[in-house]
């Protein structure tokens, strides 16, 4: 069974194929009106969402399918204590494909192990958000005409910003990519993204706290919201929430040919005055998200006949190490095995398969 939990579940060739389908949908939407007739998409949103949920639903409706689901945990049996595993088994009886957003890292992955229909991760805690990345890639391609040879500035909450983590994973597979990481000390990129993704691929990056200094060299500026809901201490959020505000003066420092992306929602990190700048691509990005989700639904449904579970790669240790990340799904899910994958045999470094939390085991 093919699910998409991480953007790397799709090869670069498959992403090209999805972008071609999306561009064909843009050009000839009528060809696709009946393609999902009698198919049902379940949207299981345990966390708030506007764009992601509605664009998934619009995508399925524009393919001629129907949608069912819930938009908050409180209207599901999760409040009665139902596990993700059981929920995924249930939904497999009622729908042909599901998109799940959850505040626990690894929840959609657990669902994909239980379900007999494809599961799409629509955002899991501060971890990953692969379909936002599909929207981002199509946007960069349409705005800049290429996915190679780009200097990409990532600005704001790089610690909890799941869209940033998935975008880095995706862009590292193209050539000539360089990142500029623009964040306050407290919101720097997590070590698992640095050590698992950037360093092994040898992708160059620089770090700065100044958006002004970075502006002139960027081809893409990816702004993010400081994510109030992920902070344990509200005082930290108050101190950091206005770290960066993109305004017309800062845009004046940027290249003439560049683009500004934001997964949205914006709070106040982009001034409304920037919206009229032709380089502001974030609303076009939201529309591209619908086309890429249409392409992904088509692809996964076409492959859904194969019910064999996706193999778990790498060297795994089961129930020997214990994940201590309170945001990991293994902290709450009933009888879930704690599984770690060996990522660095020399140093004995393992990562939790649900949330990437690091453990070191010395033999
Ligand atoms: C993002 C998300 O939920 O991770 N938004 C989105 O899906 N379009 C970013 C955010 O919430 O700040």
């Amino acid at each position: 069974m093919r699910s998409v939990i991480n953007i790397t579940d799709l090869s670069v060739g498959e992403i090209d194929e999805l972008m071609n389908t999306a561009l064909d949908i843009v050009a000839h939407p009528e060809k696709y009106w009946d393609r999902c007739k009698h198919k049902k998409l379940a949207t299981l949103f345990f966390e708030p969402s506007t764009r992601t949920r509605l664009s998934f639903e619009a995508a399925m409706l524009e393919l001629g399918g129907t949608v069912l689901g819930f938009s908050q945990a409180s209207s599901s049996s999760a409040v009665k204590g139902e596990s993700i595993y059981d929920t995924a088994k249930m939904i497999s009886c009622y729908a042909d494909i599901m998109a799940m957003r959850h505040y626990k890292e690894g929840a959609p992955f657990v669902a994909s192990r239980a379900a007999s229909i494809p599961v799409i991760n629509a955002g899991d805690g501060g971890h990953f958000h692969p379909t936002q990345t599909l929207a981002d890639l199509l946007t960069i391609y349409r705005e800049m005409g290429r996915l190679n040879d780009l200097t990409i500035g990532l600005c704001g909450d790089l610690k909890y910003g799941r869209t940033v983590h998935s975008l880095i994973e995706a862009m590292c597979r193209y050539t000539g990519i360089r990142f500029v990481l623009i964040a306050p000390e407290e919101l720097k990129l997590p070590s698992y993204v640095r050590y698992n993704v950037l360093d092994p691929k040898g992708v160059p990056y620089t770090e700065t706290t100044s958006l002004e200094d970075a502006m002139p060299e960027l081809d893409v500026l990816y702004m993010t919201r400081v994510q109030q809901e992920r902070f344990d201490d509200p005082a930290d959020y108050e101190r950091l929430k206005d770290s960066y505000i993109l305004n017309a003066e800062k845009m004046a420092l940027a290249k003439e040919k560049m683009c500004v992306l934001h997964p949205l929602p914006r709070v106040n990190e982009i001034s409304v005055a920037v919206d009229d700048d032709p380089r502001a691509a974030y609303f076009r990005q939201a529309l591209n998200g619908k086309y890429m989700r249409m392409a992904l639904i088509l692809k996964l449904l076409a492959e859904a006949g194969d019910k064999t579970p996706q193999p778990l790669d790498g060297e795994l240790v089961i129930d020997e190490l214990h994940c201590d990340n309170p945001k990991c799904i293994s902290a709450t899910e009933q009888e879930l095995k704690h599984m770690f994958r060996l990522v660095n045999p020399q140093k004995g470094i393992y990562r939790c398969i649900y949330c990437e939390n690091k453990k070191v085991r010395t033999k």
Side-chain angles (χ1 to χ4, degrees), residues 323-348:
C323 185
D324 51 15
N325 171 12
K327 296 185 167 120
C328 178
I329 186 66
S330 65
T332 45
E333 181 82 356
Q334 188 191 10
E335 291 179 35
L336 188 67
K337 289 190 188 318
H338 284 247
M339 288 204 238
F340 279 75
R341 181 179 284 119
L342 181 61
V343 294
N344 185 330
Q346 284 79 37
K347 295 188 175 155

Side-chain angles (χ1 to χ4, degrees), residues 51-52 101 129 132 162-163 225 227 229-230 262-265:
R51 266 151 303 277
T52 305
R101 168 170 288 191
H129 195 346
Q132 178 61 48
R162 55 194 173 195
T163 62
R225 171 178 73 94
Q227 308 210 352
E229 66 275 27
R230 313 249 179 253
H262 189 311
L264 304 177

Side-chain angles (χ1 to χ4, degrees), residues 45 47-53 101 122-126 128-129 131-132 157 160-164 222-227 229-230 262-267 269 285-286 293:
F45 278 64
E47 247 194 357
S49 167
T50 300
R51 266 151 303 277
T52 305
R53 184 172 64 84
R101 168 170 288 191
D124 59 330
F128 289 141
H129 195 346
T131 62
Q132 178 61 48
D157 188 347
Y160 298 114
R162 55 194 173 195
T163 62
V164 166
Y222 197 90
M223 291 297 293
T224 61
R225 171 178 73 94
V226 176
Q227 308 210 352
E229 66 275 27
R230 313 249 179 253
H262 189 311
L264 304 177
R266 117 177 102 185
V267 184
E269 59 281 356
Q285 182 185 0
R293 290 181 176 106

Side-chain angles (χ1 to χ4, degrees), residues 137-314:
L137 294 176
L138 183 62
T139 307
I140 295 171
Y141 181 74
R142 294 183 84 183
E143 299 290 322
M144 302 302 290
R146 62 184 194 277
L147 288 170
N148 295 315
D149 302 319
L150 294 165
T151 296
I152 303 174
L154 302 160
C155 178
D157 188 347
L158 309 190
K159 181 175 179 189
Y160 298 114
R162 55 194 173 195
T163 62
V164 166
H165 307 157
S166 286
L167 183 60
I168 290 177
E169 286 244 22
M171 291 309 307
C172 277
R173 300 190 293 180
Y174 296 90
T175 57
I177 298 300
R178 204 168 73 76
F179 292 106
V180 183
L181 308 176
I182 310 155
E185 192 59 34
E186 297 88 333
L187 297 178
K188 281 169 80 169
L189 197 70
S191 65
Y192 73 83
V193 185
R194 282 163 205 270
Y195 301 134
N196 284 3
V197 186
L198 288 169
D199 292 350
K201 299 233 166 65
V203 176
Y205 64 92
T206 52
E207 297 191 87
T208 175
T209 52
S210 166
L211 177 55
E212 285 88 338
D213 288 355
M215 271 325 259
E217 57 175 327
L218 304 180
D219 300 306
V220 177
L221 170 60
Y222 197 90
M223 291 297 293
T224 61
R225 171 178 73 94
V226 176
Q227 308 210 352
Q228 179 172 18
E229 66 275 27
R230 313 249 179 253
F231 283 82
D232 294 325
D233 182 354
D236 288 339
Y237 171 71
E238 284 304 318
R239 190 165 40 81
L240 294 166
K241 67 178 187 189
D242 292 329
S243 297
Y244 300 101
I245 298 179
L246 181 66
N247 55 20
E249 290 77 63
K250 290 192 189 101
M251 285 303 288
L253 303 170
K255 289 182 185 173
E256 228 170 88
K257 178 80 187 144
M258 58 87 72
C259 59
V260 179
L261 273 63
H262 189 311
L264 304 177
R266 117 177 102 185
V267 184
N268 59 358
E269 59 281 356
I270 302 182
S271 156
V272 175
V274 176
D275 296 0
D276 294 332
D277 189 306
R279 296 167 292 182
Y282 28 91
F283 292 115
R284 296 190 286 279
Q285 182 185 0
L287 179 59
N288 287 331
K290 181 184 71 176
Y291 296 126
M292 285 304 265
R293 290 181 176 106
M294 288 172 81
L296 182 64
I297 290 169
L298 283 171
K299 178 176 173 61
L300 294 182
L301 283 177
E303 294 177 20
D306 176 8
K307 301 281 179 207
T308 46
Q310 273 173 286
L312 291 175
D313 57 348

